[in-house]
Amino acid sequence: MKRVVISAGKKAMLRQWAVEFENKDFLAGDPSWFMHQVEGRENQEVMSFLAACLSYGSRPLFLPKIQRLLDWADGKPFEWVRTRGYEQSLPDTDDCYYRLYTCHDMRQMLAALNAMLERYGSICGFMRILPAPTAMSALEQTTAWFRLHGSGGIIPLDTRSACKRLCMWLRWMVRDGSEVDLGLWSNIIDKRTLIMPLDTHVVEQSIALGLLSSHSTSMAAALRLTELMRRVFPDDPVKGDFALFGSGVKDKEK
C-alpha cells in the first residue's frame, strides 16, 4: 500500500481545525450533549453509552430518541437501568424504536447493560478488568459482553467492523482536558490507543485530503486513519476527530 505523506502545511491545518472545533459550541446538536445533562460519574457513563448506541443516521431523527431515554430515566439513567426501570418504559415488542432497532432490541441491550451493572457495579468497574489498558481491548471486551448476553445488532458482534459508535464513546470517556469529552476513564485507558470513529463526515474529509482512498468503514481503515492522525497529534490521535468531523460538517454546510 502506498505510504501517505502528510505535508507540514496539512498538519498545521489539521491542528488549527482541531482547536477551532473542540470547544463547548461543538456540543450543540451533538449526541455528546446528553452526557453533560446528567450528574455523577455513573449517570454520565450510562447516558454516554445510551447516546452512542443510537448515534447513527440523521441527527434530527436520532437525537429525539436519545432524549426519550433521558426523559424516561428522569435524569438518572444509572438507576433506571440498574433497577430495570426500562421494563416499564419500553414494551417488549417488535415495534420500531429507531430505524432497524425494535423495542425488543432495545430491551435486550438494556438487559445486558443491567447485567453488567449488577456484576461490576458500574461500567467503570467493567472497564477496570481490561486485560490491557487499550481502546482495542475495551472494544473487544465490550462487544463480547453484549454478544454473550444476547444483544446483537445495536452493539457490534466483534471488532471486524470499525465500531464507529463505540470508538466515539471511548473518546468521550477517555480523553481528558477537553471541553467536550469527559475523561472519566483517563486513568484506565491510554488515550494514545484510542481509535478514530469513522463517521461519514470524517471519511469524506479524509478522502478529500488524501488520507484515505476509499469509503471503507472496516476496522483496518479506522486503524490506518488513526496512525495518520498520530503523526499530527502524537499523544492524542483522536483529537483529529474534531478536525476532520468539524471541517467536514462546515464544508457540507457551505
Side-chain angles (χ1 to χ4, degrees), residues 196-239:
M196 284 287 290
L198 287 190
D199 174 270
T200 299
H201 296 293
V202 169
V203 172
E204 291 181 349
Q205 192 71 337
S206 296
I207 291 173
L209 293 173
L211 302 175
L212 293 177
S213 58
S214 76
H215 287 85
S216 170
T217 54
S218 65
M219 179 56 71
L223 292 173
R224 283 198 300 273
L225 182 58
T226 302
E227 188 56 39
L228 291 173
M229 289 300 98
R230 192 169 282 114
R231 299 183 202 170
V232 184
F233 309 100
D235 297 321
D236 188 10
V238 298
K239 191 175 184 69

Side-chain angles (χ1 to χ4, degrees), residues 136-205:
M136 183 58 76
S137 179
L139 291 175
E140 291 170 348
Q141 183 160 288
T142 302
T143 55
W145 177 271
F146 283 87
R147 181 178 69 249
L148 294 173
H149 285 77
S151 177
I154 297 180
I155 307 300
L157 296 175
D158 52 44
T159 57
R160 285 180 291 183
S161 71
C163 296
K164 173 254 178 178
R165 286 169 287 165
L166 290 181
C167 288
M168 179 180 67
W169 175 56
L170 289 177
R171 194 205 85 202
W172 295 347
M173 303 309 295
V174 173
R175 290 188 70 251
D176 53 2
S178 172
E179 292 186 278
V180 178
D181 301 330
L182 296 174
L184 297 179
W185 300 343
S186 60
N187 63 337
I188 300 175
I189 300 171
D190 189 335
K191 68 181 178 182
R192 291 174 296 183
T193 71
L194 290 171
I195 300 168
M196 284 287 290
L198 287 190
D199 174 270
T200 299
H201 296 293
V202 169
V203 172
E204 291 181 349
Q205 192 71 337

